[in-house]
Amino acid sequence: MKKKFVAFLIHLSLSVSIALLVMLLVFRLWYPAPLHDLVGVAHIFYLLVGIDVMIGPVLTFIVYKKGKPSLATDLSLIAFFQLAAFFYGIWTVAEGRPAWIVFNVDRFSLVQVIELDTRQRDKTAAKYRSPSWFGPSWVSAEAPSDIEERNTLTFESVFASVDLPQRTDLYQPLENAHDDIRRRAMPLEKLTQYNTAEAVEQVRHRWPQANAYLPLVYKMSFATVLIKSESAEVVGITPLIPW
């Protein structure tokens, strides 16, 4: 029984070590705060990883018996299926990672990898064709000037859930929208209408250069993008309610 328990602990230690490394990848690069709360990935990730981390060591504890002829095969199969399940879960999380934070009209929109409309890939600038693996990138998007294309975009936004932020062929550098950002940005004081004064003061203390903001929208969830209005520079993101 002692050897079974040692085998269980070794397997558990390896599983936990790998899980901790992946947590750094997910929550520091792919879903930096507060985006993981905005998207709601944390509980899904912890469920997937938690189940996978425990099942492998438990199965090792069950099958382990010193001198058992099939022990190497049994342990290899357990490791294979555990890693397969683990990488499937990580791939699922990777496909849902935030790809772009897109300024459009009067707000920023968070767009996941799985939401991107790649039908116009040949018209998309090379730098926007593949989202980064090191966290979401900031861009702006401008509606097409052609009336027919505008009408098509409006139709698809209603019936196909493909709107301006998902259209990579309409992406432009965020700097191109600086004038619009300055014009649309709201004074930081307005946040006190929707949040406590203490919460807003904490934001001021952490990002003293921020003096304006714009909403960040993801489906029916919201956060706040902090802006330095003079330069239209993005300073940070806070989970405060923007409206």
Side-chain angles (χ1 to χ4, degrees), residues 117 119-120 122-123 142-158 162-164 167 169-172:
D117 179 11
R119 292 173 298 172
Q120 306 293 331
D122 58 324
K123 298 180 181 179
E142 185 174 345
S145 55
D146 182 78
I147 297 299
E148 186 175 343
E149 289 185 13
R150 278 178 179 259
N151 291 339
T152 299
L153 181 62
T154 301
F155 179 85
E156 289 186 341
S157 69
V158 175
V162 177
D163 207 345
L164 184 61
R167 289 278 301 273
D169 58 307
L170 301 176
Y171 285 1
Q172 298 181 6

Side-chain angles (χ1 to χ4, degrees), residues 59-60 79 94 106 136 141-142 171 204 208 221 234:
L59 289 176
T60 293
D106 62 351
E142 185 174 345
Y171 285 1
R204 288 181 180 277
S221 300
V234 172

Side-chain angles (χ1 to χ4, degrees), residues 6 30 50 60 83 85 91 134 139 150 155 157 169 178 183 192 205 224:
V6 170
W30 293 351
T60 293
L83 287 173
W91 179 253
F134 299 98
V139 295
R150 278 178 179 259
F155 179 85
S157 69
D169 58 307
H178 275 180
R183 184 165 54 251
T192 57
H205 180 73
T224 295

Side-chain angles (χ1 to χ4, degrees), residues 1 6 52 59 96 108 111 124 144 161-162 176 180 182 186 197 235:
M1 181 63 69
V6 170
D52 193 64
L59 289 176
F108 286 92
V111 181
T124 300
S161 298
V162 177
N176 290 13
D180 289 332
R182 275 190 288 266
M186 294 171 280
V235 176

